[in-house]
């Protein structure tokens, strides 16, 4: 059973950089066919795809966030990370990491529990 | 691709049938259309993928259908644990989007 767990500060000041890490257990992040994904959900709202990364390092970023987002992977630690720069209150959200299965079908099959990040001074 | 779900809120009683709609702004491959269920304080859970394939452990009262721009999630007989928010999601042409969600509430 694959398990994902987000970690990082729950409070970030405006204009600073939000940094989160997702630790994957129960499976290798280097397994082919999966993209490791960050998604966020503003309070009481829908889901927004932030971006994803393949174990080789190739990335996709949501065009609306692309200028501020960096996703990286550390296969030795079985982790991937999110950095979102120049944050504002609009970046306050629950941030989820998830595994995206890509192949004949495409879907998010495993999710972390989510972590609330609040942007406030 | 913009996904529009309707209705925004659906009020039904246990035992009733629920029909949730997901309409895409342009054609989506059925292979890349998925549905998720989210309960308060929890992460979304995969329900359906390939538009009509139930994920592991999902009861057969859940079914999915559709193609092109119109997709439907049907719950044949609502159980108390089915009242939640449901999202559709598409992947295609290097874009990934969710619908805004349908809240299924107890009438």
């Amino acid at each position: 059973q694959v398990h994902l767990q987000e970690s990082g500060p729950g409070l970030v000041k405006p204009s600073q950089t939000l940094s989160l890490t997702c630790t994957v257990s129960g499976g290798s992040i280097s397994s082919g066919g999966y993209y490791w994904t960050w998604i966020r959900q503003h309070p009481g709202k829908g889901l927004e795809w932030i971006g994803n990364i393949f174990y080789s390092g190739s990335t996709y970023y949501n065009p609306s966030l692309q200028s501020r987002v960096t996703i990286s992977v550390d296969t030795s630690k079985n982790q991937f990370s999110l950095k979102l720069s120049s944050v504002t209150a609009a970046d306050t959200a629950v941030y989820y990491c998830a595994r995206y299965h890509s192949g004949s079908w495409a879907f998010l099959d495993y999710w972390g529990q989510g972590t609330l990040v609040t942007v406030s001074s | 691709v913009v996904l529009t779900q309707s209705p925004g809120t659906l009020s039904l009683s246990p035992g009733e049938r629920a029909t949730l709609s997901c309409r895409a702004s342009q054609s989506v491959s059925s292979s890349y259309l998925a549905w998720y269920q989210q309960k308060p304080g929890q992460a979304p859970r995969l329900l359906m993928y390939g538009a009509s394939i139930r994920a592991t452990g999902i009861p057969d009262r859940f079914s999915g259908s559709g193609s092109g721009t119109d997709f439907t999630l049907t719950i044949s007989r609502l159980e108390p644990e089915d009242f939640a928010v449901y999202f559709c999601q598409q992947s295609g042409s290097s874009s990934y989007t969710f619908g805004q969600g349908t809240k299924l509430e107890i009438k």
Side-chain angles (χ1 to χ4, degrees), chain B:
Chain B
V1 177
V2 176
L3 298 178
T4 302
Q5 293 186 240
S6 62
T9 302
L10 185 57
S11 300
L12 294 170
S13 301
E16 291 192 296
R17 180 185 185 90
T19 302
L20 287 67
S21 173
C22 176
R23 179 162 290 178
S25 60
Q26 57 188 271
S27 186
V28 170
S29 169
S30 297
S31 297
Y32 301 145
L33 193 287
W35 289 91
Y36 303 86
Q37 177 194 66
Q38 186 178 35
K39 296 182 179 180
Q42 298 183 15
R45 175 177 72 142
L46 177 67
L47 282 181
M48 313 287 300
Y49 62 93
S52 62
I53 304 170
R54 281 187 297 277
T56 302
I58 302 303
D60 61 6
R61 64 179 180 274
F62 289 89
S63 63
S65 63
S67 63
T69 60
D70 289 296
F71 298 89
T72 301
L73 175 70
T74 302
I75 310 171
S76 59
R77 294 175 311 279
L78 286 165
E79 297 287 343
E81 62 267 28
D82 299 336
F83 292 92
V85 179
Y86 292 83
F87 295 95
C88 56
Q89 178 259 318
Q90 70 83 33
S91 317
S93 302
S94 294
S95 82
Y96 309 85
T97 52
F98 292 92
Q100 83 280 17
T102 290
K103 182 180 181 180
L104 179 55
E105 64 177 23
I106 299 177
K107 187 174 182 180

Side-chain angles (χ1 to χ4, degrees), chain A residues 1-15:
Chain A
Q1 181 80 353
V2 175
H3 182 73
L4 292 87
Q5 179 68 57
E6 305 90 351
S7 59
L11 181 63
V12 181
K13 288 182 167 52
S15 80

